[in-house]
Amino acid sequence: MIINGVTIDKTFAEAFPMKATRAIITAQNEKWAMISAQAMTGFATSVIACGCEAGIERVMSPEETPDGRPGVSIMIYAMGAKGLAKQLETRAGQCVLTSPTSALFAGIEGGKPIPLGKNLRYFGDGFQIAKKIGGKRYWRVPVMDGEFLTEATTGMVEAVGGGNFLVLAESQPQALAACEAAIEEMKKIPNVIMPFPGGVVRSGSKVGSKYPALGASTNDAFCPTLKGMTKTDLSPEIESVMEIVIDGLSKEDIDKAMRVGIQAVCDLGAANGIKRISAGNYGGKLGPFHFHLQEIMA
């Protein structure tokens, strides 16, 4: 398959079941809602070392948020329910409770309830007040700038993590420009995040290493500087490879995000140094969700 001179490899991305939740952060203005959201989703690129994968889903207008203020929707993904609940609560306490003018609300109706502000209320040292509005419990916690309002719980649902595609280009600037174009379009798709910095990862990994202590190591088959030293998957003209990883609430959500992202890369095309689109997998042995590139782009 070739789109605008870009070869779409006959391969697939392999993804895994995860648990996910969404929270809505509001503040006096969009600037402070975003600052709080960026703090809450920091150091959350990969479950390998961060404990979760998190990202900003979208900016919300005052008309969309529970308290009629500017807001940001964030999502957190983890391998298990216990880990997700801990990450959500720790991040909310350290990054939203602390952030000026912030409030915190559930972003998922239904699913299994997990604590959002349920335990953060104890920071109020007995001065906190419970409110029940429309069947939902909220806590008002006194803080130095006034009051921190938080919903008690949010929903946890089944999700999918690790959808991905690789952009193979003639130069580093061309690979990055293509990934930036892809991320711009993928951000418009609901229910997904791209958890790496700016949505892009340059240090794609393989399972295993020559060093026994490491569970993962550099994906040498896609490293352009190792073409003459390893079993390479790169042709001579490819000098840079970057990857976009996607987590989503469903396989269909990731399908949509991959489709618009790959199309954005192909729109730049071979004329802009983009040669191939590929994907990372483990031979189909580890993850039950398979994203076949040519089927997605058919």
Side-chain angles (χ1 to χ4, degrees):
M1 178 184 278
I2 297 174
I3 302 174
N4 197 22
V6 180
T7 299
I8 310 297
D9 285 3
K10 189 175 177 60
T11 188
F12 62 93
E14 188 171 346
F16 302 86
M18 297 185 84
K19 306 287 186 183
T21 191
R22 178 192 284 119
I24 296 167
I25 301 166
T26 67
Q28 179 176 291
N29 52 43
E30 185 184 311
K31 172 187 171 181
W32 279 101
M34 182 60 74
I35 286 171
S36 183
Q38 287 170 334
M40 189 174 182
T41 57
F43 187 61
T45 56
S46 170
V47 291
I48 292 173
C50 303
C52 71
E53 298 178 5
I56 290 166
E57 182 185 19
R58 67 186 184 96
V59 172
M60 302 178 74
S61 69
E63 292 74 32
E64 297 176 287
T65 63
D67 63 355
R69 301 192 302 166
V72 177
S73 164
I74 67 100
M75 299 181 78
I76 303 178
Y77 292 73
M79 297 308 290
K82 190 176 178 183
L84 180 64
K86 183 178 181 184
Q87 287 285 341
L88 174 65
E89 204 165 52
T90 302
R91 289 166 182 271
Q94 295 302 303
C95 306
V96 187
L97 168 64
T98 58
S99 185
T101 78
S102 67
L104 185 61
F105 302 96
I108 290 182
E109 302 291 335
K112 180 184 177 184
I114 56 174
L116 187 60
K118 181 180 178 181
N119 297 316
L120 297 182
R121 75 182 194 260
Y122 295 117
F123 183 75
D125 201 25
F127 297 102
Q128 67 271 19
I129 301 168
K131 292 286 181 184
K132 206 163 189 181
I133 304 169
K136 296 180 179 180
R137 183 174 291 278
Y138 300 86
W139 286 96
R140 296 168 58 188
V141 181
V143 287
M144 291 197 304
D145 80 341
E147 198 170 67
F148 172 57
L149 175 65
T150 176
E151 201 164 333
T153 62
T154 187
M156 175 179 65
V157 295
E158 301 293 331
V160 182
N164 69 80
F165 63 90
L166 307 175
V167 176
L168 288 71
E170 291 179 343
S171 72
Q172 194 180 73
Q174 289 169 325
L176 185 57
C179 288
E180 287 175 337
I183 293 294
E184 199 63 35
E185 293 305 311
M186 294 166 79
K187 280 182 176 177
K188 299 174 185 176
I189 304 298
N191 304 326
V192 300
I193 58 165
M194 286 63 72
F196 280 92
V200 187
V201 54
R202 58 97 172 256
S203 58
S205 60
K206 66 177 183 296
V207 175
S209 165
K210 67 179 282 186
Y211 305 106
L214 290 183
S217 59
T218 193
N219 194 354
D220 52 282
F222 285 92
C223 292
T225 59
L226 299 180
K227 283 178 199 165
M229 301 167 63
T230 191
K231 188 180 178 184
T232 186
D233 199 8
L234 305 181
S235 50
E237 74 277 12
I238 294 170
E239 291 296 336
S240 188
V241 180
M242 295 185 192
E243 181 178 6
I244 294 176
V245 175
I246 311 104
D247 297 335
L249 293 187
S250 71
K251 184 178 187 298
E252 292 70 30
D253 292 323
I254 295 179
D255 274 334
K256 290 176 191 172
M258 288 180 66
R259 186 177 303 116
V260 300
I262 292 170
Q263 187 59 56
V265 173
C266 291
D267 285 346
L268 288 172
N272 287 289
I274 311 304
K275 306 303 288 185
R276 279 170 58 201
I277 299 290
S278 194
N281 64 64
Y282 311 94
K285 297 170 185 172
L286 298 180
F289 300 101
H290 298 167
F291 298 89
H292 293 268
L293 299 184
Q294 293 189 0
E295 290 178 13
I296 287 173
M297 299 309 294

